[in-house]
Amino acid sequence: MAALLLLGLASGLPLYLIGLTLKAWMTEEKVDLAAIGWFGLTSLPYSLKFLWSPFLDRFTLPFLGRRRGWLLLTQIALMIAIALMGFQQPKQALQFLAINAIIIAFISATQDIAADAYRTDVLTPLEMGAGAAIWILGYRIGLLVASALALILADRLPWSSVYLIMAGTMGIGIFATLFAPEPKEISPPASLTDAVFLPFGEFFQRKGVMRGLLILLFITLYKLGDALLSNMTTPFLLQTGFTKTDIGAIQVGMGLIATIVGALAGGSILSRIGINRSLWVFGILQAVSNLAYFSLAYLGKNYQAMVLAINIEQFCGGLGTAAFVAFLMSLCNQRFSATQYALLSSLMAVSRDILSAPGGAIAAVTGWSTFFLITIVAAVPGLLLLPVFAPWNSPIEAMPRPGLDQENEDLWETK
């Protein structure tokens, strides 16, 4: 669990450095609002990481084992790429900033492939709830460091210094990788061809073609409303009149606590009501919580309303994420965990990086109040799919998890 906490931190750190924090930098440099919104496309590698994930299933580097070797390599590369970001000029050379962000996203997505596979491989079925919550805790701490701390530092230091400090923080992930326990050895695919095709065939053979496609569509849409809102909250708060320190301390700092509490509460509730019912309850709360930002848009620069809106939205987001991570892990066969989890999480990233990219243009046309109502409507399609493959009275977690030895499979059936 200690290893998952620190690896989660390393996994979360790069995301906001090319997301929320970078958008704050660009807003301060007076980059066009629509361009800031479309800049979300620089995170496209997160959505496409399943394309190269078979390499991590098939090939083992000559150090630290099947999963940890890839973790160490990507973490060192991220340290270098994040440091280079500090020397960019958003206003004068936006294209070079975008290229640097894409490189970071590619390396970070590769780290996520290895980290997600490591988490899936190292946890026993009965540890999955706790492991998901601990991972989210570490991931959110990484987001805190890369956003709240970075934004507060940016009020006192040049942006170049901020990104150099963030690059050094990746050393925490390197330390965790060196001392993390190695998962139980599982035979890798015999060839790269097997690593590419067997994970897809095994998934659809196990779930059925139609049910499998509905699951993939659901994963794409479940957090769309939340992603659309998150993509534009920082520009909204800055344009409303809040300072970078306000955003760092309240939106990310206090919001992190709300997300952690939500994730831990979600893990506890999930263990009692099951994954299916958690997806229903948390998904509805996740969508309705966007009304808090709708209210803030009407009230304007009101610190009490800002604190309330941020805490409500982040708490409900933490609930939904806990159920979602456990759900994704339950779908994976450990032999192909890198490829299958990468495919599933890539679909989740589609809504965060692609479908949410027009958020800036939508907000510019409709205004902030209408935009936040649109984010609620965007959450509905994912919820409508729940009765099809996740009926309320048929808990998914009662099914045996694939890829386990018989003892653990029996435990999973008992759970």
Side-chain angles (χ1 to χ4, degrees), residues 17 89 127 199 318 331 386 408:
L17 294 179
Q89 301 293 328
E127 295 172 336
L331 296 174
L386 281 170
N408 280 334

Coordinates of all heavy atoms in Angstrom, one line a residue, residues 17 89 127 199 318 331 386 408:
L17 N 0.5 19.3 -14.8 CA 1.6 20.2 -15.3 C 1.4 20.4 -16.8 O 1.9 21.4 -17.4 CB 2.9 19.5 -15.1 CG 3.4 19.3 -13.6 CD1 4.7 18.6 -13.6 CD2 3.4 20.7 -13.0
Q89 N 7.9 29.5 -23.9 CA 7.3 30.8 -23.8 C 5.9 30.7 -24.5 O 5.8 30.7 -25.7 CB 8.2 31.8 -24.6 CG 9.6 32.0 -24.2 CD 9.6 32.6 -22.8 OE1 8.8 33.4 -22.5 NE2 10.6 32.2 -22.0
E127 N -8.1 -7.1 -1.7 CA -7.3 -5.9 -1.5 C -7.7 -4.7 -2.5 O -7.3 -3.6 -2.3 CB -5.8 -6.1 -1.6 CG -5.2 -7.0 -0.5 CD -3.8 -7.3 -0.8 OE1 -3.3 -7.3 -1.9 OE2 -3.1 -7.7 0.2
P199 N -5.4 -9.9 -25.8 CA -6.1 -9.2 -24.8 C -7.5 -8.8 -25.3 O -8.5 -8.8 -24.5 CB -5.3 -7.9 -24.5 CG -3.9 -8.4 -24.9 CD -4.1 -9.3 -26.0
G318 N -14.7 12.3 -6.2 CA -13.9 11.2 -5.5 C -14.7 10.0 -5.3 O -14.2 8.9 -5.5
L331 N -12.3 -5.8 -14.5 CA -12.5 -6.3 -15.9 C -11.2 -6.9 -16.5 O -11.3 -7.5 -17.6 CB -12.9 -5.1 -16.8 CG -14.2 -4.4 -16.5 CD1 -14.4 -3.2 -17.4 CD2 -15.4 -5.4 -16.7
L386 N -26.3 2.3 -17.8 CA -26.1 1.4 -16.6 C -27.1 0.3 -16.5 O -26.8 -0.9 -16.2 CB -26.2 2.3 -15.3 CG -25.0 3.0 -14.9 CD1 -25.2 4.0 -13.8 CD2 -23.8 2.1 -14.6
N408 N -7.1 -17.8 -5.2 CA -7.6 -16.5 -5.3 C -8.9 -16.3 -6.0 O -9.7 -15.5 -5.7 CB -6.5 -15.6 -5.9 CG -5.4 -15.2 -5.0 OD1 -5.6 -15.2 -3.8 ND2 -4.2 -14.9 -5.5

